[in-house]
Amino acid sequence: MTMKVEDIKAYHAHLYYDDQEGRAFAQQIAQQLSSLFDVTIGRFHEKKVGPHPMWSVQIAFTADIFEKVIPWLMMNRGDLDVLFHPLSGDELYDHTQGASWLGKSHELDIRQFLPKI
């Protein structure tokens, strides 16, 4: 798959946490982020969802504010680990080769993105 940077119109950032204290901090970070930038905050999960190995919340944003959102998360994420990836239309690519991390990286369960045989 050949992709041009200008083909990427949006991104997801996933804040990872593993307890109520982490969730509360993730809620605070998400609230601050949404007050500063035009982002969409998803549900705060207290279970593993999709490929994510921990509790998490998804933050969606357009490519034109990437250079503001990601540096802000770098400086304000505290101890939260953050996965961010493009929305290219190829979820396997997005969650593997296209994925980047702030903090520690975690192994994702990508089975749902693999071709069924």
Side-chain angles (χ1 to χ4, degrees), residues 15 17 20-36 39 41 44 57 59 72-73 76-80:
L15 308 181
Y17 47 92
Q20 291 300 321
E21 185 178 328
R23 178 189 164 127
F25 185 64
Q27 288 173 312
Q28 177 185 343
I29 292 298
Q31 182 179 30
Q32 289 175 351
L33 196 57
S34 68
S35 73
L36 295 169
V39 300
I41 308 300
F44 288 82
V57 62
I59 300 170
W72 190 91
L73 283 171
N76 294 284
R77 67 178 181 79
D79 290 335
L80 298 177

Side-chain angles (χ1 to χ4, degrees), residues 26-106:
Q27 288 173 312
Q28 177 185 343
I29 292 298
Q31 182 179 30
Q32 289 175 351
L33 196 57
S34 68
S35 73
L36 295 169
F37 308 110
D38 185 16
V39 300
T40 301
I41 308 300
R43 287 183 299 216
F44 288 82
H45 296 286
E46 293 184 12
K47 62 181 181 178
K48 297 176 185 180
V49 174
H52 306 288
M54 298 176 64
W55 298 1
S56 64
V57 62
Q58 173 183 288
I59 300 170
F61 56 98
T62 57
D64 62 326
I65 61 170
F66 178 92
E67 76 277 1
K68 295 177 180 169
V69 171
I70 296 303
W72 190 91
L73 283 171
M74 284 177 186
M75 302 303 293
N76 294 284
R77 67 178 181 79
D79 290 335
L80 298 177
D81 298 324
V82 180
L83 162 68
F84 62 95
H85 63 80
L87 299 178
S88 72
D90 180 343
E91 291 202 76
L92 179 60
Y93 173 85
D94 295 347
H95 290 86
T96 55
Q97 292 175 310
S100 295
W101 294 89
L102 303 175
K104 291 179 258 172
S105 63
H106 298 268

Side-chain angles (χ1 to χ4, degrees), residues 92 110-117:
L92 179 60
I110 60 168
R111 290 176 293 180
Q112 69 191 60
F113 306 133
L114 298 175
K116 308 291 187 259
I117 37 178

